[in-house]
Amino acid sequence: MKLLRFGPKGKEKPGLLDADGMIRDLSAHLPDLGGAYLGRARLEVLAALNPADLPIVPANTRLGPCVGGVGKFIAIGLNYSDHAAETGAEVPPEPVVFNKWTSSICGPNDDVLLPRGSKKTDWEVELGVVIGKAGRYIEEADARSHVAGYCVVNDISEREYQLERSGTWDKGKGCDTFGPLGPWLVTPDEVPDPHDLAMWLEVDGHRFQDGSTRTMVYRIPYLISYLSRFMSLQPGDVISTGTPPGVGMGQKPPVYLKPGQSMRLGIEGLGEQRQTVVGDEAL
């Protein structure tokens, strides 16, 4: 299934994408697409519905983030060998873990706001993993049973805040609108191998990122097991698993986002996002 959320900001309803590309309203069957409704049993109930029996949602309706009420938005840095190489960094001996604040989450096609004074805001197309079953000290062999689905993430990053100021990466990663999620939450039955997906990102029509999840260093079962050593993972948590090469910081010379530019990005089988960059000073 391709599950989604639609409607005005803060008032999103759950839906699904049918085989003809039409959005269908699921709100008669669950109040939202959040952690409490992402378990395998609930997803099986939704999968048994006949989409033709569900109301059609108008095609121009806004898409919200594909998961509501996210508890933790966890991200992994330098997790693609070719991206680590372009930044001049060593592949880390353990996963690099940082936070994206949940207030950064927005819809897949919402505007991206440049923080006031920002000069080095960058893009990163990433594979997101959404947790559907809680766990601590999860065994790697059992990790996939904890996955509700996968989605596209744009891990937008202000590089000066992230790398040139003291402290952790977090303050350059969690600004408002720096975490578009979606368009869809795609259930695992439609993603037989999440480590063999093409992924790409364009700015103003120029393709900067053109990679694959094949070059992921620490793979999803390991990441889930690793993270669960340090925190419980809860239904609705999102893990953003790293980016392939082609980020703005890696260009020669570096290239960063400016107001008025547009981003288009996607992952094979998981859909596309489109965002316009807006200067926060104008708001």
Side-chain angles (χ1 to χ4, degrees), residues 26-41:
L26 279 172
S27 57
H29 298 273
L30 71 165
D32 198 1
L33 194 63
Y37 304 98
L38 293 176
R40 289 288 170 90

mmCIF file with all atom_site columns, all heavy atoms in Angstrom, residues 26-41:
data_model
loop_
_atom_site.group_PDB
_atom_site.id
_atom_site.type_symbol
_atom_site.label_atom_id
_atom_site.label_alt_id
_atom_site.label_comp_id
_atom_site.label_asym_id
_atom_site.label_entity_id
_atom_site.label_seq_id
_atom_site.pdbx_PDB_ins_code
_atom_site.Cartn_x
_atom_site.Cartn_y
_atom_site.Cartn_z
_atom_site.occupancy
_atom_site.B_iso_or_equiv
_atom_site.pdbx_formal_charge
_atom_site.auth_seq_id
_atom_site.auth_comp_id
_atom_site.auth_asym_id
_atom_site.auth_atom_id
_atom_site.pdbx_PDB_model_num
ATOM 1   N N   . LEU A 1 26 ? -9.358  7.670  3.909  1.00 0.00 ? 26 LEU A N   1
ATOM 2   C CA  . LEU A 1 26 ? -9.426  6.586  4.889  1.00 0.00 ? 26 LEU A CA  1
ATOM 3   C C   . LEU A 1 26 ? -9.981  7.033  6.235  1.00 0.00 ? 26 LEU A C   1
ATOM 4   O O   . LEU A 1 26 ? -9.980  6.256  7.188  1.00 0.00 ? 26 LEU A O   1
ATOM 5   C CB  . LEU A 1 26 ? -8.031  6.001  5.117  1.00 0.00 ? 26 LEU A CB  1
ATOM 6   C CG  . LEU A 1 26 ? -7.481  4.993  4.116  1.00 0.00 ? 26 LEU A CG  1
ATOM 7   C CD1 . LEU A 1 26 ? -6.015  4.695  4.433  1.00 0.00 ? 26 LEU A CD1 1
ATOM 8   C CD2 . LEU A 1 26 ? -8.297  3.706  4.131  1.00 0.00 ? 26 LEU A CD2 1
ATOM 9   N N   . SER A 1 27 ? -10.444 8.275  6.345  1.00 0.00 ? 27 SER A N   1
ATOM 10  C CA  . SER A 1 27 ? -10.762 8.810  7.665  1.00 0.00 ? 27 SER A CA  1
ATOM 11  C C   . SER A 1 27 ? -11.954 8.120  8.324  1.00 0.00 ? 27 SER A C   1
ATOM 12  O O   . SER A 1 27 ? -12.139 8.242  9.541  1.00 0.00 ? 27 SER A O   1
ATOM 13  C CB  . SER A 1 27 ? -10.993 10.324 7.594  1.00 0.00 ? 27 SER A CB  1
ATOM 14  O OG  . SER A 1 27 ? -12.009 10.654 6.669  1.00 0.00 ? 27 SER A OG  1
ATOM 15  N N   . ALA A 1 28 ? -12.758 7.370  7.578  1.00 0.00 ? 28 ALA A N   1
ATOM 16  C CA  . ALA A 1 28 ? -13.834 6.599  8.205  1.00 0.00 ? 28 ALA A CA  1
ATOM 17  C C   . ALA A 1 28 ? -13.306 5.354  8.898  1.00 0.00 ? 28 ALA A C   1
ATOM 18  O O   . ALA A 1 28 ? -14.027 4.718  9.683  1.00 0.00 ? 28 ALA A O   1
ATOM 19  C CB  . ALA A 1 28 ? -14.873 6.202  7.146  1.00 0.00 ? 28 ALA A CB  1
ATOM 20  N N   . HIS A 1 29 ? -12.039 5.020  8.652  1.00 0.00 ? 29 HIS A N   1
ATOM 21  C CA  . HIS A 1 29 ? -11.476 3.778  9.186  1.00 0.00 ? 29 HIS A CA  1
ATOM 22  C C   . HIS A 1 29 ? -10.397 4.008  10.244 1.00 0.00 ? 29 HIS A C   1
ATOM 23  O O   . HIS A 1 29 ? -10.074 3.083  10.984 1.00 0.00 ? 29 HIS A O   1
ATOM 24  C CB  . HIS A 1 29 ? -10.904 2.945  8.035  1.00 0.00 ? 29 HIS A CB  1
ATOM 25  C CG  . HIS A 1 29 ? -11.941 2.532  7.049  1.00 0.00 ? 29 HIS A CG  1
ATOM 26  N ND1 . HIS A 1 29 ? -12.692 1.387  7.187  1.00 0.00 ? 29 HIS A ND1 1
ATOM 27  C CD2 . HIS A 1 29 ? -12.379 3.144  5.909  1.00 0.00 ? 29 HIS A CD2 1
ATOM 28  C CE1 . HIS A 1 29 ? -13.535 1.290  6.171  1.00 0.00 ? 29 HIS A CE1 1
ATOM 29  N NE2 . HIS A 1 29 ? -13.375 2.343  5.385  1.00 0.00 ? 29 HIS A NE2 1
ATOM 30  N N   . LEU A 1 30 ? -9.825  5.204  10.304 1.00 0.00 ? 30 LEU A N   1
ATOM 31  C CA  . LEU A 1 30 ? -8.866  5.541  11.364 1.00 0.00 ? 30 LEU A CA  1
ATOM 32  C C   . LEU A 1 30 ? -8.751  7.055  11.424 1.00 0.00 ? 30 LEU A C   1
ATOM 33  O O   . LEU A 1 30 ? -8.930  7.732  10.416 1.00 0.00 ? 30 LEU A O   1
ATOM 34  C CB  . LEU A 1 30 ? -7.501  4.881  11.145 1.00 0.00 ? 30 LEU A CB  1
ATOM 35  C CG  . LEU A 1 30 ? -6.584  5.353  10.029 1.00 0.00 ? 30 LEU A CG  1
ATOM 36  C CD1 . LEU A 1 30 ? -5.183  4.806  10.245 1.00 0.00 ? 30 LEU A CD1 1
ATOM 37  C CD2 . LEU A 1 30 ? -7.070  4.922  8.665  1.00 0.00 ? 30 LEU A CD2 1
ATOM 38  N N   . PRO A 1 31 ? -8.449  7.605  12.615 1.00 0.00 ? 31 PRO A N   1
ATOM 39  C CA  . PRO A 1 31 ? -8.417  9.065  12.752 1.00 0.00 ? 31 PRO A CA  1
ATOM 40  C C   . PRO A 1 31 ? -7.203  9.725  12.124 1.00 0.00 ? 31 PRO A C   1
ATOM 41  O O   . PRO A 1 31 ? -7.277  10.882 11.713 1.00 0.00 ? 31 PRO A O   1
ATOM 42  C CB  . PRO A 1 31 ? -8.436  9.278  14.269 1.00 0.00 ? 31 PRO A CB  1
ATOM 43  C CG  . PRO A 1 31 ? -7.903  8.007  14.837 1.00 0.00 ? 31 PRO A CG  1
ATOM 44  C CD  . PRO A 1 31 ? -8.324  6.919  13.910 1.00 0.00 ? 31 PRO A CD  1
ATOM 45  N N   . ASP A 1 32 ? -6.080  9.023  12.068 1.00 0.00 ? 32 ASP A N   1
ATOM 46  C CA  . ASP A 1 32 ? -4.868  9.603  11.486 1.00 0.00 ? 32 ASP A CA  1
ATOM 47  C C   . ASP A 1 32 ? -3.898  8.472  11.186 1.00 0.00 ? 32 ASP A C   1
ATOM 48  O O   . ASP A 1 32 ? -4.053  7.339  11.665 1.00 0.00 ? 32 ASP A O   1
ATOM 49  C CB  . ASP A 1 32 ? -4.229  10.607 12.450 1.00 0.00 ? 32 ASP A CB  1
ATOM 50  C CG  . ASP A 1 32 ? -3.240  11.557 11.771 1.00 0.00 ? 32 ASP A CG  1
ATOM 51  O OD1 . ASP A 1 32 ? -3.057  11.458 10.534 1.00 0.00 ? 32 ASP A OD1 1
ATOM 52  O OD2 . ASP A 1 32 ? -2.655  12.399 12.470 1.00 0.00 ? 32 ASP A OD2 1
ATOM 53  N N   . LEU A 1 33 ? -2.899  8.792  10.395 1.00 0.00 ? 33 LEU A N   1
ATOM 54  C CA  . LEU A 1 33 ? -1.854  7.826  10.076 1.00 0.00 ? 33 LEU A CA  1
ATOM 55  C C   . LEU A 1 33 ? -0.671  8.141  10.987 1.00 0.00 ? 33 LEU A C   1
ATOM 56  O O   . LEU A 1 33 ? 0.294   8.801  10.593 1.00 0.00 ? 33 LEU A O   1
ATOM 57  C CB  . LEU A 1 33 ? -1.473  7.936  8.602  1.00 0.00 ? 33 LEU A CB  1
ATOM 58  C CG  . LEU A 1 33 ? -0.635  6.790  8.022  1.00 0.00 ? 33 LEU A CG  1
ATOM 59  C CD1 . LEU A 1 33 ? -1.396  5.477  8.074  1.00 0.00 ? 33 LEU A CD1 1
ATOM 60  C CD2 . LEU A 1 33 ? -0.231  7.107  6.586  1.00 0.00 ? 33 LEU A CD2 1
ATOM 61  N N   . GLY A 1 34 ? -0.776  7.695  12.223 1.00 0.00 ? 34 GLY A N   1
ATOM 62  C CA  . GLY A 1 34 ? 0.256   7.935  13.217 1.00 0.00 ? 34 GLY A CA  1
ATOM 63  C C   . GLY A 1 34 ? 0.635   6.639  13.900 1.00 0.00 ? 34 GLY A C   1
ATOM 64  O O   . GLY A 1 34 ? 0.153   5.554  13.548 1.00 0.00 ? 34 GLY A O   1
ATOM 65  N N   . GLY A 1 35 ? 1.498   6.744  14.895 1.00 0.00 ? 35 GLY A N   1
ATOM 66  C CA  . GLY A 1 35 ? 2.092   5.567  15.513 1.00 0.00 ? 35 GLY A CA  1
ATOM 67  C C   . GLY A 1 35 ? 1.107   4.524  15.991 1.00 0.00 ? 35 GLY A C   1
ATOM 68  O O   . GLY A 1 35 ? 1.333   3.327  15.838 1.00 0.00 ? 35 GLY A O   1
ATOM 69  N N   . ALA A 1 36 ? -0.017  4.963  16.571 1.00 0.00 ? 36 ALA A N   1
ATOM 70  C CA  . ALA A 1 36 ? -0.975  4.021  17.132 1.00 0.00 ? 36 ALA A CA  1
ATOM 71  C C   . ALA A 1 36 ? -1.645  3.161  16.071 1.00 0.00 ? 36 ALA A C   1
ATOM 72  O O   . ALA A 1 36 ? -2.266  2.142  16.394 1.00 0.00 ? 36 ALA A O   1
ATOM 73  C CB  . ALA A 1 36 ? -2.041  4.776  17.923 1.00 0.00 ? 36 ALA A CB  1
ATOM 74  N N   . TYR A 1 37 ? -1.501  3.547  14.807 1.00 0.00 ? 37 TYR A N   1
ATOM 75  C CA  . TYR A 1 37 ? -2.216  2.857  13.723 1.00 0.00 ? 37 TYR A CA  1
ATOM 76  C C   . TYR A 1 37 ? -1.266  2.264  12.692 1.00 0.00 ? 37 TYR A C   1
ATOM 77  O O   . TYR A 1 37 ? -1.660  1.990  11.567 1.00 0.00 ? 37 TYR A O   1
ATOM 78  C CB  . TYR A 1 37 ? -3.188  3.841  13.060 1.00 0.00 ? 37 TYR A CB  1
ATOM 79  C CG  . TYR A 1 37 ? -4.137  4.450  14.049 1.00 0.00 ? 37 TYR A CG  1
ATOM 80  C CD1 . TYR A 1 37 ? -3.884  5.708  14.584 1.00 0.00 ? 37 TYR A CD1 1
ATOM 81  C CD2 . TYR A 1 37 ? -5.252  3.746  14.495 1.00 0.00 ? 37 TYR A CD2 1
ATOM 82  C CE1 . TYR A 1 37 ? -4.734  6.262  15.528 1.00 0.00 ? 37 TYR A CE1 1
ATOM 83  C CE2 . TYR A 1 37 ? -6.104  4.288  15.439 1.00 0.00 ? 37 TYR A CE2 1
ATOM 84  C CZ  . TYR A 1 37 ? -5.840  5.546  15.950 1.00 0.00 ? 37 TYR A CZ  1
ATOM 85  O OH  . TYR A 1 37 ? -6.686  6.081  16.899 1.00 0.00 ? 37 TYR A OH  1
ATOM 86  N N   . LEU A 1 38 ? -0.009  2.053  13.075 1.00 0.00 ? 38 LEU A N   1
ATOM 87  C CA  . LEU A 1 38 ? 0.991   1.571  12.125 1.00 0.00 ? 38 LEU A CA  1
ATOM 88  C C   . LEU A 1 38 ? 1.419   0.128  12.379 1.00 0.00 ? 38 LEU A C   1
ATOM 89  O O   . LEU A 1 38 ? 2.336   -0.352 11.722 1.00 0.00 ? 38 LEU A O   1
ATOM 90  C CB  . LEU A 1 38 ? 2.226   2.486  12.147 1.00 0.00 ? 38 LEU A CB  1
ATOM 91  C CG  . LEU A 1 38 ? 1.998   3.908  11.625 1.00 0.00 ? 38 LEU A CG  1
ATOM 92  C CD1 . LEU A 1 38 ? 3.274   4.732  11.793 1.00 0.00 ? 38 LEU A CD1 1
ATOM 93  C CD2 . LEU A 1 38 ? 1.546   3.902  10.177 1.00 0.00 ? 38 LEU A CD2 1
ATOM 94  N N   . GLY A 1 39 ? 0.788   -0.545 13.314 1.00 0.00 ? 39 GLY A N   1
ATOM 95  C CA  . GLY A 1 39 ? 1.110   -1.946 13.556 1.00 0.00 ? 39 GLY A CA  1
ATOM 96  C C   . GLY A 1 39 ? 0.690   -2.826 12.390 1.00 0.00 ? 39 GLY A C   1
ATOM 97  O O   . GLY A 1 39 ? -0.204  -2.479 11.607 1.00 0.00 ? 39 GLY A O   1
ATOM 98  N N   . ARG A 1 40 ? 1.310   -4.000 12.290 1.00 0.00 ? 40 ARG A N   1
ATOM 99  C CA  . ARG A 1 40 ? 1.027   -4.890 11.160 1.00 0.00 ? 40 ARG A CA  1
ATOM 100 C C   . ARG A 1 40 ? -0.450  -5.289 11.098 1.00 0.00 ? 40 ARG A C   1
ATOM 101 O O   . ARG A 1 40 ? -1.040  -5.379 10.018 1.00 0.00 ? 40 ARG A O   1
ATOM 102 C CB  . ARG A 1 40 ? 1.912   -6.133 11.240 1.00 0.00 ? 40 ARG A CB  1
ATOM 103 C CG  . ARG A 1 40 ? 3.390   -5.863 10.948 1.00 0.00 ? 40 ARG A CG  1
ATOM 104 C CD  . ARG A 1 40 ? 3.621   -5.567 9.467  1.00 0.00 ? 40 ARG A CD  1
ATOM 105 N NE  . ARG A 1 40 ? 4.969   -5.076 9.208  1.00 0.00 ? 40 ARG A NE  1
ATOM 106 C CZ  . ARG A 1 40 ? 5.999   -5.857 8.919  1.00 0.00 ? 40 ARG A CZ  1
ATOM 107 N NH1 . ARG A 1 40 ? 5.848   -7.168 8.884  1.00 0.00 ? 40 ARG A NH1 1
ATOM 108 N NH2 . ARG A 1 40 ? 7.181   -5.337 8.684  1.00 0.00 ? 40 ARG A NH2 1
ATOM 109 N N   . ALA A 1 41 ? -1.078  -5.535 12.253 1.00 0.00 ? 41 ALA A N   1
ATOM 110 C CA  . ALA A 1 41 ? -2.480  -5.952 12.256 1.00 0.00 ? 41 ALA A CA  1
ATOM 111 C C   . ALA A 1 41 ? -3.370  -4.862 11.669 1.00 0.00 ? 41 ALA A C   1
ATOM 112 O O   . ALA A 1 41 ? -4.264  -5.136 10.850 1.00 0.00 ? 41 ALA A O   1
ATOM 113 C CB  . ALA A 1 41 ? -2.929  -6.301 13.673 1.00 0.00 ? 41 ALA A CB  1
#
